[in-house]
Amino acid sequence: MEPTGNKSGKKKVVAVVGGGLGGALNACYFAKRGFQVQVFESREDIRAAKVVKGRSINLALSHRGRSALKHVGMEEKVVSKGIPMHARMIHSLKGNSFALLQAVASLGACQIMKVSCKSFVTRFLCDFSAAAEVYPNTKLNFDHKLQDWNAETGNMTFVRADGTKEHIEADLIVGCDGAFSAVRKQFMRRSRFNYSQTYIPHGYKELTMPPIDGDFAMKPNYLHIWPRNTFMMIALPNLDFTFTCTLFMPFEEFEKITTGDEVISFFQTYFPDAIPLIGAEALKRDYFRLPAQAMVSVKCSSYHIADKCVLMGDAAHAIVPFYGQGMNAGFEDCIVFEEIMEQFNENLSEVLPEYTRVRVPDDHAIADLAMYNYVEMRAHVNSKWFLFRKYVDNFLHALMPGSIIPLYTMVTFTRTRYHKAVERWQWQERVRKV
């Protein structure tokens, strides 16, 4: 796909800080428009690294993210390396399981694809590098840690791995450097910048369920959930026929378990069917491999400073992982910004304020929904009344697809703005009670 060229005639410099998923995709968008793009990542080049550091919660690629990838010709490459997910598989305490389907048929919805975080980031950057051959106006810079930047001039100072410094000047700085963004620190020094950071009282640990006779130990095309009211475990398949199991639980509950025998006793009480699938010895070993990891939710506003800087992805809206929308929301940032760039003919003094106006209410809405969905996944799916309502919603959606659309369907299988989806869901709930 050839660059379209910058409409202003001048090749402006865009500095994308953060070389993860959102940063790499943003670079493709700006390069396609003809900007001179430089991506700066503080870590080493993970494509060549033997050990990839960082969080590894499984990722679910759905309609919003796929739409953003499709715009720069990367959807098929990414989807080909994922596993389609058809429904939730609920595992009861008694060892029974049943599928909980979502209503999507009338929308012709694309499938949710499960991808593994660390390997996906590596492959994505490899694909991005291939795309960069089409976009010669793009450069990746690893081992570059942002030390400081100036919101008025666009001057930036990076520290390389060898301790030397590099100074560049950019027309636009795009902060895609995660929940603890170095770019965002400048925003926090300015007046009228709203910011909140919330750690939820639950952490997570990851465990591995190995293959059985060279095949998946459970049905692979499902999000497997063991809901236990105040905590839960989920499992998602990997291309190597393993499952990654993630145990979400209050930190104080994790801290009560201090020995291998206590791990087995805990699993015998709450997840007995998982013990033979994971393996008792592996379970006792892997449980203590790392401490429980924290999860943070970040909200802020505004997302821009004049026409010089904009925040995207987790730097603007880190969310907890329970709606499977973190990556999708970050990818959707790219296409929303692109649509606004088209609307305002790349006039950054108009584009950036409009991006803040459009995107902030949506990102705050999905942050709240992600919190809500944790309660649904660990507790509500145990309720027969909740399950009955799910089936009724799906039935009504099949009968009246234009009138009744389940919230999950709007969020996961359409690009309905997040806050509009919440408003419509609340309206449907009010109508249901009449």
Side-chain angles (χ1 to χ4, degrees):
M1 190 177 295
E2 295 295 331
T4 59
N6 188 288
K7 295 184 178 182
S8 65
K10 178 186 175 183
K11 291 185 176 180
K12 293 184 177 181
V13 176
V14 174
V16 179
V17 182
L21 298 174
L25 185 58
N26 257 307
C28 288
Y29 271 81
F30 284 108
K32 182 182 175 187
R33 282 191 167 270
F35 290 90
Q36 291 294 322
V37 183
Q38 290 212 53
V39 181
F40 297 92
E41 170 58 46
S42 62
R43 296 171 296 181
E44 64 180 324
D45 187 345
I46 64 174
R47 296 168 297 177
K50 293 181 180 179
V51 178
V52 181
K53 298 177 181 179
R55 292 167 50 141
S56 60
I57 284 181
N58 288 292
L59 303 174
L61 178 66
S62 55
H63 180 71
R64 296 172 195 269
R66 292 180 65 162
S67 297
L69 291 171
K70 184 177 182 179
H71 191 79
V72 289
M74 294 186 68
E75 181 188 15
E76 290 307 314
K77 284 185 178 180
V78 173
V79 166
S80 68
K81 298 165 185 173
I83 298 175
M85 310 302 295
H86 302 318
R88 299 173 179 179
M89 184 69 73
I90 310 300
H91 296 256
S92 74
L93 190 58
K94 296 179 180 179
N96 302 320
S97 62
F98 62 92
L100 180 59
L101 299 173
Q102 307 294 341
V104 299
S106 66
L107 296 166
C110 66
Q111 291 177 316
I112 302 172
M113 304 300 296
K114 182 270 174 186
V115 289
S116 297
C117 181
K118 290 179 181 177
S119 60
F120 179 51
V121 174
T122 306
R123 290 196 305 263
F124 189 86
L125 284 176
C126 289
D127 291 339
F128 166 74
S129 298
E133 294 176 1
V134 179
Y135 305 129
N137 48 328
T138 305
K139 182 183 178 183
L140 275 170
N141 302 276
F142 291 95
D143 289 315
H144 278 63
K145 185 176 182 179
L146 180 64
Q147 184 181 63
D148 199 11
W149 63 278
N150 187 295
E152 280 66 45
T153 65
N155 290 324
M156 310 177 74
T157 301
F158 292 91
V159 179
R160 300 190 188 99
D162 61 6
T164 60
K165 294 184 179 181
E166 181 174 345
H167 304 277
I168 75 155
E169 184 175 329
D171 295 291
L172 177 64
I173 300 168
V174 184
C176 297
D177 52 340
F180 305 102
S181 168
V183 174
R184 196 179 60 228
K185 289 180 181 178
Q186 285 283 8
F187 283 69
M188 297 176 72
R189 296 172 185 167
R190 305 173 75 90
S191 64
R192 297 194 296 167
F193 177 70
N194 296 314
Y195 172 80
S196 68
Q197 172 182 295
T198 304
Y199 280 97
I200 66 172
H202 295 67
Y204 71 92
K205 282 180 179 280
E206 288 193 340
L207 306 163
T208 299
M209 185 180 292
I212 294 179
D213 297 327
D215 202 356
F216 288 106
M218 302 183 295
K219 293 181 179 180
N221 299 113
Y222 294 88
L223 164 59
H224 292 264
I225 306 176
W226 288 258
R228 299 298 182 260
N229 296 319
T230 59
F231 55 90
M232 71 173 181
M233 186 170 72
I234 68 170
L236 283 166
N238 302 307
L239 290 174
D240 63 359
F241 301 105
T242 64
F243 277 88
T244 298
C245 304
T246 309
L247 175 61
F248 297 96
M249 193 162 66
F251 279 98
E252 58 265 27
E253 297 300 320
F254 278 118
E255 292 163 1
K256 291 177 182 177
I257 301 173
T258 59
T259 68
D261 288 340
E262 288 175 347
V263 173
I264 298 302
S265 177
F266 173 78
F267 269 74
Q268 285 174 338
T269 302
Y270 296 106
F271 311 110
D273 58 326
I275 296 176
L277 300 178
I278 297 174
E281 292 305 313
L283 185 56
K284 288 191 285 187
R285 180 187 68 245
D286 293 349
Y287 185 90
F288 296 105
R289 186 178 51 189
L290 291 172
Q293 302 295 298
M295 290 172 285
V296 66
S297 180
V298 170
K299 292 181 181 178
C300 67
S301 178
S302 64
Y303 288 169
H304 74 285
I305 296 177
D307 62 350
K308 281 293 183 183
C309 185
V310 64
L311 300 174
M312 294 194 192
D314 283 357
H317 50 80
I319 64 176
V320 294
F322 305 115
Y323 223 117
Q325 285 296 301
M327 175 178 64
N328 292 288
F331 281 179
E332 191 178 46
D333 287 347
C334 300
I335 196 168
V336 169
F337 195 85
E338 165 73 10
E339 290 163 351
I340 296 172
M341 287 278 276
E342 190 68 23
Q343 179 184 353
F344 291 98
N345 199 32
E346 297 183 2
N347 183 343
L348 296 179
S349 63
E350 294 182 304
V351 169
L352 269 62
E354 179 67 5
Y355 177 77
T356 285
R357 186 192 70 80
V358 168
R359 202 62 180 150
V360 166
D362 290 333
D363 293 334
H364 288 188
I366 191 57
D368 293 338
L369 282 176
M371 291 286 199
Y372 165 82
N373 209 47
Y374 183 37
V375 179
E376 175 176 312
M377 291 174 71
R378 64 179 166 82
H380 291 172
V381 292
N382 285 323
S383 163
K384 292 182 179 180
W385 172 243
F386 171 83
L387 296 175
F388 173 73
R389 285 185 55 181
K390 279 285 186 184
Y391 283 115
V392 169
D393 284 347
N394 291 350
F395 176 73
L396 292 175
H397 175 60
L399 287 180
M400 302 175 288
S403 300
I404 303 298
I405 307 177
L407 176 63
Y408 184 85
T409 298
M410 288 187 282
V411 169
T412 307
F413 299 106
T414 80
R415 277 197 62 207
T416 303
R417 292 183 62 185
Y418 288 123
H419 85 279
K420 292 292 185 182
V422 172
E423 289 175 357
R424 179 168 186 147
W425 171 56
Q426 291 171 340
W427 173 80
Q428 290 176 173
E429 289 295 292
R430 290 194 297 270
V431 169
R432 184 202 304 273
K433 295 175 181 178
V434 172

